[in-house]
Amino acid sequence: MFRTSVIIIGGGQAGLAMSHCLTRRGVDHVVLERGRVGERWRSERWDSLRLLTPNWMTRLPGRAYDGPDPDGFMSMAEVVRFLEDYAASGACPVETGVSVRSVTRRGYGRYRVETSHGAWEAPAVVVATGMCGVPLIPPASAALPDDIDQLTPTAYRNPSMVRDGGVLVVGASASGLQLAEELARAGRRVTLSVGRHIRLPRRYLGRDILWWFDRMGTLTQPAQAVPNLERARRQPSMQLVGRPDHGSLDLGTLMDAGVRLTGRAGAVTGGRMAFADDLPEAMAAADARMVRLLDGIDAFAGTSGARPRPLTAPATPSRLDLRAEGIGTVIWATGFRRDYSWLHVPVLDAAGEIIHDGGVTPAPGLVVLGLRFLRHRSSNFIGGVGRDAEALADHLVRHLATVRRVVAA
């Protein structure tokens, strides 16, 4: 049995940020990581992927990007090196290759964490496993013909691994758009099923779009200031891509590259997939939202910029016979769900998500870090998780002091 004051589950940016904050506060702790530091950045990302946030936004407590290209976008290998260096410089007590099998509460101030390498006990636990848990695959996938391959963005690496034939990409947020474009540029016949999405230009008024959101305070908007927080947390990711040329990527770019668009994917029957007739509505809603956001930047900057042209939805099929269309692969870029099947503490809602208020769960000493809009809009960004870690580290210090008083009494 191993004992410490705080057990951090997850060795990505959230877990390392919390480790750094606890070290500065003199709190004994351990970081348990199932693989290597930054494992998801290593093994669950495609080869050409770069961060969607510019390098100057890559900042964690006590460390920020200081390289020669602040406006560039890190490759996955560069992200891993940044996290490895951060862990080493902060002497983070990371135990790698340790899978957490269960977390249980054994009375006030006592959590037991069973792992593949023995059990730990501590009065506090930090769940820092992040947003990208398990790919969320629609039930329709079960009805696809057996001879059609199915992939998710976590399994896709590059076009060479995709079987010959056409490809249907389901989902038009950042991941779906990038995979559809990469496959189309590689000469594949690509169909993209489009649902809700957020269209934005990469640059506006001579600056990265996120530079404007940072200056305007949009990224630090607190959760309490959002009228419908749950809806904000369910928003799709922005249609952005991190390229050396700082180019934009949207549905217009894909149509120009020969990608066929459809509405939202529906049921599969007899090898035929149905699609909703909602593409015009989805594209109009995305354009309207983009206009509102750019209007806000214009008001802040006191000037106006050149706007991306409005997009017109093409005619779309209501149903496709996948075999007849020569589609051999479906890529489900439909988001993620969190898997907390190992968390045996009564803090999960009916959907299996952790109930929390700014990361503080109903179970004393159990906190969560790295989720979307945890305490502010950029909580799940590398550049935003540190702010949350600082606040939750202070909360844990207070909790540990309370535990000591209770035990002493």
Side-chain angles (χ1 to χ4, degrees), residues 299-347:
F300 178 81
T303 187
S304 298
R307 302 291 179 93
R309 61 182 174 86
L311 297 178
T312 301
T316 60
S318 61
R319 188 175 299 273
L320 286 178
D321 184 322
L322 301 180
R323 285 199 186 97
E325 293 287 333
I327 293 174
T329 304
V330 175
I331 300 179
W332 300 103
T334 42
F336 294 86
R337 62 178 177 84
R338 270 57 56 197
D339 179 11
Y340 298 121
S341 56
W342 45 269
L343 183 56
H344 305 300
V345 182
V347 295

Side-chain angles (χ1 to χ4, degrees), residues 54-79:
N55 291 337
W56 57 263
M57 286 184 66
T58 304
R59 50 200 177 200
L60 291 170
R63 179 76 182 274
Y65 176 86
D66 59 357
D69 188 17
D71 294 319
F73 304 92
M74 283 190 183
S75 67
M76 294 303 95
E78 290 169 330
V79 173

Side-chain angles (χ1 to χ4, degrees), residues 63-141:
R63 179 76 182 274
Y65 176 86
D66 59 357
D69 188 17
D71 294 319
F73 304 92
M74 283 190 183
S75 67
M76 294 303 95
E78 290 169 330
V79 173
V80 169
R81 285 197 295 273
F82 180 85
L83 294 178
E84 285 180 330
D85 291 347
Y86 183 69
S89 65
C92 296
V94 183
E95 297 284 337
T96 58
V98 178
S99 297
V100 171
R101 293 175 174 167
S102 72
V103 176
T104 54
R105 187 180 175 199
R106 304 293 182 90
Y108 186 83
R110 184 182 170 205
Y111 288 95
R112 183 180 178 90
V113 179
E114 297 284 351
T115 81
S116 57
H117 286 61
W120 287 79
E121 280 196 353
V125 171
V126 179
V127 178
T129 50
M131 278 293 296
C132 300
V134 180
L136 181 61
I137 302 175
S141 65

Side-chain angles (χ1 to χ4, degrees), residues 56-402:
W56 57 263
M57 286 184 66
T58 304
R59 50 200 177 200
L60 291 170
R63 179 76 182 274
Y65 176 86
D66 59 357
D69 188 17
D71 294 319
F73 304 92
M74 283 190 183
S75 67
M76 294 303 95
E78 290 169 330
V79 173
V80 169
R81 285 197 295 273
F82 180 85
L83 294 178
E84 285 180 330
D85 291 347
Y86 183 69
S89 65
C92 296
V94 183
E95 297 284 337
T96 58
V98 178
S99 297
V100 171
R101 293 175 174 167
S102 72
V103 176
T104 54
R105 187 180 175 199
R106 304 293 182 90
Y108 186 83
R110 184 182 170 205
Y111 288 95
R112 183 180 178 90
V113 179
E114 297 284 351
T115 81
S116 57
H117 286 61
W120 287 79
E121 280 196 353
V125 171
V126 179
V127 178
T129 50
M131 278 293 296
C132 300
V134 180
L136 181 61
I137 302 175
S141 65
L144 284 174
D146 292 339
D147 58 350
I148 292 181
D149 289 346
Q150 299 187 53
L151 294 173
T152 64
T154 59
Y156 172 87
R157 292 295 173 267
N158 55 65
S160 68
M161 70 172 292
V162 179
R163 66 183 296 179
D164 291 341
V167 182
L168 170 63
V169 179
V170 182
S173 291
S175 295
L177 250 66
Q178 290 181 70
L179 298 189
E181 185 196 36
E182 179 167 283
L183 288 161
R185 302 294 185 196
R188 298 305 187 91
R189 300 187 311 277
V190 179
T191 300
L192 177 67
S193 172
V194 179
R196 288 193 313 128
H197 58 280
I198 299 175
R199 182 190 182 200
L200 284 173
R202 177 76 263 183
R203 294 180 68 81
Y204 188 66
L205 286 173
R207 297 281 190 174
D208 191 274
I209 193 73
L210 294 179
W211 184 91
W212 289 108
F213 291 161
D214 185 66
R215 287 300 179 94
M216 294 164 62
T218 304
L219 299 180
T220 54
Q221 181 185 19
Q224 309 94 286
V226 180
N228 190 331
L229 184 56
E230 288 310 309
R231 181 178 177 183
R233 286 172 173 164
R234 292 194 301 269
Q235 284 185 345
S237 58
M238 297 175 285
Q239 288 182 333
L240 293 176
V241 61
R243 289 176 170 160
D245 66 358
H246 302 270
S248 295
L249 179 62
D250 58 21
L251 297 181
T253 312
L254 296 187
M255 287 189 285
D256 292 342
V259 174
R260 174 175 56 180
L261 304 185
T262 73
R264 188 167 28 87
V268 176
T269 307
R272 294 175 172 84
M273 179 175 283
F275 298 93
D277 60 356
D278 58 352
L279 182 61
E281 177 185 352
M283 292 176 68
D287 274 355
R289 179 177 175 82
M290 178 180 67
V291 167
R292 290 194 299 272
L293 291 171
L294 298 184
D295 283 347
I297 294 175
D298 287 350
F300 178 81
T303 187
S304 298
R307 302 291 179 93
R309 61 182 174 86
L311 297 178
T312 301
T316 60
S318 61
R319 188 175 299 273
L320 286 178
D321 184 322
L322 301 180
R323 285 199 186 97
E325 293 287 333
I327 293 174
T329 304
V330 175
I331 300 179
W332 300 103
T334 42
F336 294 86
R337 62 178 177 84
R338 270 57 56 197
D339 179 11
Y340 298 121
S341 56
W342 45 269
L343 183 56
H344 305 300
V345 182
V347 295
L348 302 181
D349 63 17
E353 299 286 358
I354 294 180
I355 300 166
H356 67 89
D357 180 6
V360 179
T361 78
L366 178 65
V367 303
V368 61
L369 181 64
L371 299 182
R372 175 176 289 177
F373 233 136
L374 189 87
R375 300 177 73 91
H376 61 283
R377 188 173 292 278
S378 59
S379 287
N380 61 310
F381 291 3
I382 291 181
V385 70
R387 187 180 295 105
D388 290 357
E390 296 282 8
L392 291 173
D394 287 340
H395 169 83
L396 291 177
V397 167
R398 294 191 295 269
H399 169 73
L400 294 173
T402 300

